[in-house]
Amino acid sequence: MSLTDSSSEQIAKAASVASTSLAILPSIERNDALTAIHRSLFQAKETILAANAHDVALASQAAADGELSQSALKRLDLSRPGKWDEMLQGILDVRELEDPGWNPPWSYSNQTLIEYAGLVLERIACPIGVLLIIFEARPEVIANIAALAIKSGNAAILKGGKESTASFLAISTAISSALGATAVPNAAIQLVTTRDDIASLLKCDKYIDLVIPRGSNELVRTTKERTRIPVLGHADGLCSIYIHPDADLQLSVRVVTDSKLDYPAACNSVETLLVHREALDTHLPAIASALLERGCSLRCDAASKTALSTALPAEKALLLQAAADEDYDTEFLSPILAIKTVVPPSGSTDEVALTLAIAHINSHSSHHTDAILTSSPSLAMKFKASVASACVFSNTSTRMADGMRFGFGTEVGISTNKIHARGPVGLEGLCIYKYIIDGSGHVAGDYGGADGKKWRHERLPID
């Protein structure tokens, strides 16, 4: 592992060469590297947190001057309760996961007669190759990516943003020191320290196989526009919750408040609350009261604002704001929630209201995480089948969309792409596959035609 200021092409080429060695490194040696990283970071805690505090101080001033968003500031802070411990635990959790490499998900053979036996085709998991991770204001990404990349056998190039410079260097130094005594190739994990434009690395499609941007919407969109390399990520975390009238009230209050206020700056924080017309009087007042008591701003459509103005005490009703159309397409990343009423035709079935809610979500959602609160298994099932998002939940917080909570150890990010890696991306998302054939002189010319050998495809048990 190295801290480098080499040219972009040199960095990418070195990573490509190192990826070949890392891909075949025995699992025990990759696990030993993760143990070393965990130990080194644990021992360097005071140094790293001091560096992070320096970054946070500078970022706080930038936020006060309007040069940095409050959500970015919150993401930068490693002293947030639980964040440091979760970062370290994620490394150990990844270490304990089953090695994804050379673990064929299935295999089959072509066997027609006894003399033709022995031609076996397998599809096996393998690393993608070289990852380029660009992040801003997320110092824990260094540890997350290093752990997942090493475990999955991928080389990684990391480029941090200026907001996390001191944190980046402190964490990088600890990881570099740890890996120096392991079998992981030096160039397998490279931390780029140069301030040169990332554009040159984005042009290295000959050597880099996947780009993963972690940060603002602008970073993700700009990255996609400036490279021919495949990009894994999401531009927005515009998450929604739909409340059906049959939902349990206390469950609804707990789930919505957690989804919005557990960590408002997170991409899996709920931004839009869809409320069935019949739940305006039964559910929304208790939910709104709980949110307002914790400082959340509510932007309501006409129907929900009218219902809440009647149900809430005057001092709380005064805090309600009128929603604009753009609020339902906005990722606030702060204690703000847009509320919209689902109004089915009078006398219509529950499925009609559900269809309206689904249509709104599929039209306005960023396809990150969306949820329904209902006591009806059939409605929940239809919602989960019909919403076209990476994560679709019933009766639980949108904040559950997380690699650590899914048991992935940690994640390289959330993908809303409709590709093999979707939702929180862990080890499996960093692997592709290759086809392996073992034969004994078999040739394609022997098959086909009236007198040729006939194909027989049979699935074989996996050892």
Side-chain angles (χ1 to χ4, degrees):
M1 182 268 193
S2 62
L3 289 158
T4 180
D5 58 359
S6 301
S7 72
S8 296
E9 185 171 5
Q10 290 173 327
I11 292 167
K13 187 174 183 179
S16 182
V17 172
S19 69
T20 303
S21 298
L22 182 60
I24 60 173
L25 194 67
S27 179
I28 189 171
E29 295 194 28
R30 280 182 270 138
N31 287 341
D32 286 345
L34 299 190
T35 301
I37 290 174
H38 178 272
R39 183 187 307 115
S40 184
L41 290 173
F42 179 82
Q43 294 171 346
K45 178 178 179 179
E46 291 187 8
T47 300
I48 293 170
L49 290 183
N52 182 246
H54 174 74
D55 284 335
V56 169
L58 293 178
S60 297
Q61 183 58 54
D65 295 339
E67 300 172 357
L68 186 71
S69 69
Q70 288 295 323
S71 59
L73 177 60
K74 291 177 182 177
R75 289 170 176 164
L76 174 63
D77 190 1
L78 281 176
S79 68
R80 180 174 175 267
K83 194 168 187 179
W84 173 266
D85 292 336
E86 287 178 4
M87 180 183 77
L88 290 191
Q89 186 59 45
I91 298 170
L92 298 181
D93 291 344
V94 170
R95 183 190 64 184
E96 298 306 313
L97 294 174
E98 182 179 358
D99 188 347
W102 292 91
N103 181 25
W106 54 260
S107 62
Y108 66 80
S109 72
N110 130 37
Q111 298 179 355
T112 52
L113 298 174
I114 190 69
E115 61 264 37
Y116 303 150
L119 187 61
V120 178
L121 168 65
E122 292 180 303
R123 187 177 78 174
I124 65 167
C126 62
I128 292 172
V130 178
L131 315 175
L132 170 60
I133 296 88
I134 310 166
F135 62 94
E136 53 189 16
R138 293 173 180 265
E140 75 277 10
V141 166
I142 305 171
N144 295 344
I145 298 295
L148 286 169
I150 292 170
K151 181 74 175 187
S152 62
N154 288 286
I157 303 167
L158 293 94
K159 177 67 174 73
K162 62 181 181 180
E163 303 87 358
S164 57
T165 298
S167 307
F168 179 82
L169 291 174
I171 295 175
S172 301
T173 299
I175 296 178
S176 180
S177 174
L179 292 183
T182 73
V184 172
N186 188 55
I189 308 293
Q190 297 182 75
L191 306 173
V192 181
T193 58
T194 178
R195 294 188 178 184
D196 290 345
D197 194 342
I198 198 68
S200 54
L201 277 171
L202 292 175
K203 294 177 181 178
C204 294
D205 55 306
K206 181 178 179 180
Y207 304 110
I208 297 172
D209 301 295
L210 182 67
V211 181
I212 305 175
R214 294 284 304 271
S216 67
N217 300 344
E218 181 181 358
L219 172 66
V220 177
R221 291 194 180 100
T222 300
T223 300
K224 289 182 176 180
E225 292 170 358
R226 296 169 69 181
T227 187
R228 293 184 297 180
I229 305 169
V231 177
L232 185 151
H234 68 279
D236 297 283
L238 185 51
C239 306
S240 302
I241 292 178
Y242 166 59
I243 302 178
H244 200 68
D246 65 354
D248 179 88
L249 177 58
Q250 294 307 313
L251 178 151
S252 300
V253 173
R254 280 174 49 81
V255 168
V256 174
T257 54
D258 182 85
S259 296
K260 180 69 259 185
L261 298 177
D262 178 64
Y263 187 19
C267 61
N268 56 12
S269 170
V270 67
E271 306 291 15
T272 298
L273 183 65
L274 300 175
V275 185
H276 190 290
R277 176 179 55 194
E278 294 178 9
L280 290 179
D281 298 325
T282 59
H283 291 66
L284 188 56
I287 294 170
S289 181
L291 292 169
L292 290 169
E293 287 175 2
R294 295 179 57 181
C296 184
S297 297
L298 304 180
R299 299 185 180 181
C300 310
D301 67 355
S304 60
K305 191 170 187 290
T306 298
L308 289 177
S309 297
T310 302
L312 295 177
E315 63 273 16
K316 288 186 177 179
L318 287 173
L319 300 175
L320 302 175
Q321 302 173 32
D325 288 343
E326 57 266 25
D327 289 328
Y328 303 113
D329 296 298
T330 299
E331 183 184 25
F332 299 111
L333 297 174
S334 61
I336 301 173
L337 182 65
I339 302 176
K340 185 176 182 63
T341 308
V342 176
V343 184
S346 298
S348 59
T349 64
D350 288 342
E351 284 73 15
V352 173
L354 181 65
T355 299
L356 292 174
I358 292 169
H360 175 93
I361 291 172
N362 284 340
S363 176
H364 296 268
S365 164
S366 64
H367 307 302
H368 186 299
T369 302
D370 300 289
I372 182 174
L373 306 183
T374 179
S375 62
S376 168
S378 61
L379 291 180
M381 183 178 296
K382 181 177 179 180
F383 181 88
K384 289 179 286 187
S386 302
V387 170
S389 297
C391 299
V392 189
F393 303 156
S394 65
N395 299 319
T396 192
S397 171
T398 57
R399 290 278 292 130
M400 293 298 179
D402 177 82
M404 180 273 292
R405 298 182 180 114
F406 280 14
F408 299 167
T410 184
E411 65 186 35
V412 297
I414 303 285
S415 171
T416 56
N417 298 349
K418 293 187 177 181
I419 56 174
H420 78 289
R422 203 163 185 234
V425 179
L427 284 183
E428 289 187 7
L430 295 181
C431 291
I432 48 177
Y433 51 82
K434 64 174 69 173
Y435 290 96
I436 305 294
I437 291 182
D438 292 312
S440 54
H442 299 75
V443 295
D446 289 343
Y447 297 84
D451 300 323
K453 299 173 182 177
K454 305 302 180 184
W455 290 104
R456 178 183 171 191
H457 298 97
E458 176 183 343
R459 289 185 180 270
L460 297 179
I462 299 172
D463 295 331

